[in-house]
Amino acid sequence: MKGLRIIVLAKQVPDTRNVGKDAMKADGTVNRAALEAIFNPEDLNALEQALRVKDKVDGSTITILTMGPGRAAEVIREGLYRGADNGFLLTDRKFAGSDTLATSYALSQAIRKIKDFDVIFAGRQAIDGDTAQVGPQVAEKLGIPQITYAEEVLDIKGKEIIVKRRLERGVEVVSVTTPVLITVHSSAADCRPRNAKLLMKYKHARTITERQDATEDYLNLYQTRPYLNIDEWSTADIVVEDEALGLSGSPTKVKKIENVVFKAKESKVLSPSDVEIDELMKELIENHTIG
Amino acid sequence: MNNIFVYCEFEDGQVADVSLELLTKARSLADQLSCKVEAVVLGSGLNGIDKLLFPYGVDVIHLGDDKRLSPYLTLPHSTLLKQVLEQEKPQIALFGATSVGRDLAPRIASALKVGLTADCTSLEIGGHSDKKANIEYENLLYQIRPAFGGNIVATIINPETRPQLATVREGVMKKEILREGYKGVVKKIDTDKFLSDADFVVKIIERHMENKKVNIKNAGIIVAGGYGVGSKANFKLLFDLADVLGAEVGGSRAAVDAGFVEHERQIGQTGVTVRPKLYIAVGISGQIQHRAGMADSAMVISINNDRQAPINQIADYVIVGDAAEVLPKLIKYYKKNSK
């Protein structure tokens, strides 16, 4: 069987799951600096499904595609440590302020430049927005079918892929012929850890921007090991209309951001003594809250 | 006509609750905007659907009745819906934030190149002034949703593109019949004209759907447990109390993740939103994501070892103590006093 050319869409996100006290600034905006930047969790689930396909079908390759600031190259290195073959960092100031429509446009144009692919895997959604929109929108822009909420790739027979989907009320098994975009749900298998050999191999992988301050020793190393290059693309490297990027390409605008404030109540504090609980129950029954 | 459209989910002879909630909301928004409410229903076996939907104040139903449309598949549904929206040019189109709505709406938004806001918890109509461009907008849809892990609430607008698209979480809006006998018209969609083989490249091989066994959304009393309950065995105490009070049992995300209680009982931003008359929070610290799903409860009793737990700020009663000690006493004294 011919190998599959796989692209994994991955995003570096602030870890909104572990929001501490200093995560919000006094003006109600998010203090990104206070939040650790991580590999979006469901994108790791997506990477694992890609790696399993690669394990199963000889000759398959995995390309990580990420869009973000320069530091998002970390996501590509994490992918390489786990078994991806190469990666592209899409980075440009013109992308700043992109909503999901502008983001999916930029990603789809980068994918057109990568050109040859059979399957695109992406996490269902990113934890900094929870929209679950970029995957389906990339699929639409490329004119290919989408399979959302995937839990497991069950089988691959030539161009046919069988996928189990996890839905709110149950599961569905579907078949599709490639090319296809698959978004992977958090109920899918966790991503395997970094491979020690691959970590050694790729720990010095850098984008051109990251190499700017490199020492001579590093540049010598890089000369002999071309795989240490992480490709970095700006808007000049892909075919895009600037109008469709960033704020101007984003139909959604944020009108207002508010801190979540719950009206504090004056609570009555009780001890778990028999007397106090007896009283509470009497009161709740009398005012018809219960009973 | 620039009306408000609602994509209605239909399966096994039933319209999804969230679709009826959206029709109810669409009706009130349409009254504010002096426009009509139109429903799009794609499926098979849709006879009688008009009688079910019209009472919610629906003026037009676009009906695609075709065996191939059930169960839901992304491509045929998006092909037909895109067709309807392009032809009818609504100002607003709403979807449930379900596994169907969240699959379909982004595909539509991309095809129409319009803005979409996911997981709204509130929709309002309002104006906006773009001071830089010196443009005043009237009657925009305010799409209000929690963001950044629930720590902030954002109001999103789409000033320029139409339709304004939003998905809305189930259970955050009320479902209410406007008037029995309200009448609209049915417009049939010629599915054969628009669907092609290319829309059926994804094939469903197997499907196992379960009807919801629990109904915490509509429960009057909820006994909900968090990570502080400690174990699945301890959760039995919550079920015992719920039995006695005629309540449903819910759980926080931490309790669900720990395997103490099933996923379908999860309350909070990523679970179900509830507003019962009494919410008993047992061993729940009350992260913002959890409070977002229950803060509208009429009365809250918190049972917690930690006097400082955030949930206590919105509790009417705080019982400082262990679940294992307090719950049996609640049962005992309820029984004693209810006779």
Side-chain angles (χ1 to χ4, degrees):
Chain A
M1 203 188 301
K2 191 164 118 305
L4 291 162
R5 295 154 302 181
I6 302 164
I7 295 172
V8 175
L9 302 181
K11 184 182 186 186
Q12 190 178 53
V13 293
D15 192 354
T16 55
R17 298 167 308 175
N18 295 307
V19 171
K21 284 195 184 75
D22 44 355
M24 304 298 293
K25 295 185 200 161
D27 62 358
T29 60
V30 176
N31 181 11
R32 282 182 184 256
L35 297 170
E36 195 190 348
I38 59 165
F39 201 120
N40 179 51
E42 284 183 324
D43 296 346
L44 278 172
N45 296 113
L47 176 60
E48 177 60 25
Q49 290 304 311
L51 291 166
R52 288 181 181 200
V53 172
K54 184 180 164 179
D55 290 343
K56 197 167 174 177
V57 185
D58 281 347
S60 298
T61 57
I62 298 175
T63 299
I64 309 267
L65 174 60
T66 189
M67 180 169 133
R71 65 171 184 277
E74 197 55 36
V75 164
I76 294 173
R77 276 188 288 277
E78 283 297 332
L80 295 170
Y81 299 158
R82 288 167 168 83
D85 298 273
N86 63 344
F88 293 96
L89 169 66
L90 200 54
T91 188
D92 200 308
R93 280 173 183 276
K94 287 179 183 165
F95 296 134
S98 292
D99 71 1
T100 65
L101 193 74
T103 301
S104 56
Y105 171 68
L107 288 172
S108 65
Q109 291 306 96
I111 293 166
R112 285 183 199 278
K113 165 116 180 193
I114 295 172
K115 207 173 127 193
D116 295 319
F117 69 90
D118 300 294
V119 188
I120 301 170
F121 283 103
R124 172 189 52 149
Q125 62 192 36
I127 57 169
D128 58 345
D130 292 327
T131 70
Q133 285 167 199
V134 169
Q137 292 186 329
V138 168
E140 194 281 333
K141 298 213 178 299
L142 294 171
I144 61 172
Q146 69 200 41
I147 293 178
T148 50
Y149 302 94
E151 187 168 79
E152 193 182 354
V153 174
L154 297 176
D155 202 3
I156 305 157
K157 306 171 203 157
K159 283 175 79 72
E160 188 190 16
I161 298 187
I162 314 280
V163 180
K164 181 165 113 187
R165 302 178 69 211
R166 170 64 52 183
L167 306 176
E168 286 158 326
R169 292 195 296 119
V171 293
E172 195 175 85
V173 177
V174 299
S175 86
V176 64
T177 48
T178 58
V180 62
L181 183 146
I182 299 173
T183 74
V184 181
H185 190 261
S186 57
S187 64
D190 287 336
C191 193
R192 63 196 63 183
R194 297 166 173 180
N195 174 301
K197 275 186 193 158
L198 293 173
L199 177 62
M200 290 309 289
K201 180 176 174 185
Y202 287 113
K203 69 178 176 186
H204 295 297
R206 297 281 182 274
T207 61
I208 186 164
T209 308
E210 288 173 324
R211 282 199 302 272
Q212 274 170 4
D213 314 318
T215 60
E216 203 170 317
D217 281 353
Y218 177 79
L219 291 175
N220 290 337
L221 181 77
Y222 174 73
Q223 289 301 328
T224 57
R225 298 177 189 175
Y227 59 81
L228 290 180
N229 177 51
I230 295 175
D231 283 297
E232 184 179 303
W233 283 348
S234 72
T235 52
D237 298 297
I238 57 176
V239 180
V240 279
E241 291 168 32
D242 284 1
E243 272 297 288
L245 301 172
L247 284 173
S248 65
S250 300
T252 58
K253 311 284 174 205
V254 178
K255 177 165 173 63
K256 195 168 63 171
I257 298 259
E258 288 167 300
N259 262 324
V260 176
V261 183
F262 296 107
K263 221 187 331 172
K265 290 180 181 171
E266 286 218 4
S267 5
K268 199 167 168 184
V269 179
L270 307 176
S271 81
S273 72
D274 287 80
V275 179
E276 291 194 41
I277 291 190
D278 190 10
E279 284 303 314
L280 173 66
M281 282 299 160
K282 273 183 195 153
E283 195 182 321
L284 294 179
I285 290 167
E286 265 167 32
N287 66 23
H288 303 290
T289 302
I290 55 176
Chain B
M1 285 288 284
N2 305 129
N3 291 328
I4 302 180
F5 276 55
V6 175
Y7 170 83
C8 292
E9 290 179 39
F10 178 87
E11 196 177 308
D12 302 332
Q14 285 191 318
V15 178
D17 267 354
V18 67
S19 303
L20 299 175
E21 292 160 13
L22 286 175
L23 288 174
T24 307
K25 186 69 187 182
R27 185 66 258 170
S28 76
L29 296 176
D31 290 343
Q32 256 182 289
L33 296 167
S34 307
C35 70
K36 289 180 175 174
V37 173
E38 307 197 21
V40 181
V41 194
L42 306 173
S44 76
L46 300 179
N47 277 338
I49 190 100
D50 48 339
K51 287 177 195 67
L52 214 132
L53 297 186
F54 285 141
Y56 287 88
V58 176
D59 300 297
V60 181
I61 300 173
H62 298 267
L63 201 66
D65 198 340
D66 187 321
K67 272 205 178 101
R68 297 173 293 174
L69 293 175
S70 181
Y72 168 85
L73 285 168
T74 312
L75 295 178
H77 278 242
S78 57
T79 297
L80 292 174
L81 183 60
K82 176 174 173 258
Q83 189 63 41
V84 171
L85 296 181
E86 276 178 340
Q87 190 185 314
E88 304 289 334
K89 302 192 177 7
Q91 54 177 313
I92 294 170
L94 305 174
F95 303 76
T98 60
S99 36
V100 169
R102 280 162 59 94
D103 180 82
L104 176 63
R107 189 109 191 162
I108 292 290
S110 174
L112 301 178
K113 296 194 171 65
V114 299
L116 164 64
T117 305
D119 285 346
C120 295
T121 51
S122 177
L123 298 174
E124 291 168 17
I125 301 295
H128 176 65
S129 56
D130 183 338
K131 295 202 174 73
K132 265 189 214 154
N134 198 20
I135 306 176
E136 290 291 325
Y137 295 93
E138 280 179 3
N139 293 331
L140 291 178
L141 181 68
Y142 286 0
Q143 303 148 38
I144 300 161
R145 68 168 307 225
F148 234 78
N151 296 281
I152 52 178
V153 174
T155 300
I156 313 288
I157 48 173
N158 312 343
E160 294 290 343
T161 57
R162 297 289 177 276
Q164 305 162 82
L165 300 186
T167 67
V168 176
R169 296 195 66 94
E170 181 176 355
V172 297
M173 288 167 186
K174 282 193 200 114
K175 162 180 106 177
E176 214 164 50
I177 284 183
L178 177 74
R179 179 158 47 82
E180 294 292 349
Y182 192 94
K183 272 276 175 293
V185 295
V186 174
K187 290 185 182 172
K188 292 222 163 108
I189 301 167
D190 184 356
T191 54
D192 283 335
K193 187 173 157 193
F194 303 113
L195 295 177
S196 69
D197 288 348
D199 290 316
F200 297 95
V201 288
V202 176
K203 294 182 175 59
I204 296 171
I205 302 172
E206 266 179 68
R207 218 160 175 271
H208 301 284
M209 293 294 149
E210 286 173 7
N211 281 323
K212 280 185 197 162
K213 276 177 250 130
V214 291
N215 189 359
I216 48 174
K217 200 176 82 181
N218 297 319
I221 304 173
I222 293 171
V223 183
Y227 193 71
V229 172
S231 69
K232 195 168 180 169
N234 286 354
F235 245 83
K236 185 168 177 306
L237 288 170
L238 277 76
F239 282 97
D240 291 346
L241 176 63
D243 264 353
V244 174
L245 298 179
E248 272 290 358
V249 172
S252 70
R253 181 173 184 164
V256 171
D257 285 349
F260 298 169
V261 67
E262 315 88 287
H263 182 260
E264 56 188 334
R265 295 185 187 274
Q266 186 174 319
I267 292 166
Q269 199 194 317
T270 47
V272 181
T273 302
V274 296
R275 47 174 73 80
K277 62 176 178 170
L278 175 62
Y279 192 88
I280 304 178
V282 187
I284 292 179
S285 66
Q287 292 303 313
I288 208 155
Q289 294 89 336
H290 184 77
R291 280 180 283 161
M294 49 66 70
D296 288 337
S297 304
M299 182 185 283
V300 176
I301 299 175
S302 166
I303 299 165
N304 211 301
N305 273 324
D306 178 7
R307 175 70 190 85
Q308 304 306 325
I311 190 129
N312 295 348
Q313 293 163 13
I314 58 163
D316 298 272
Y317 295 93
V318 175
I319 306 174
V320 183
D322 255 341
E325 184 192 356
V326 178
L327 292 178
K329 284 189 184 174
L330 289 176
I331 294 170
K332 179 178 162 190
Y333 289 104
Y334 173 75
K335 284 183 175 166
K336 178 190 154 215
N337 290 304
S338 64
K339 276 170 193 161

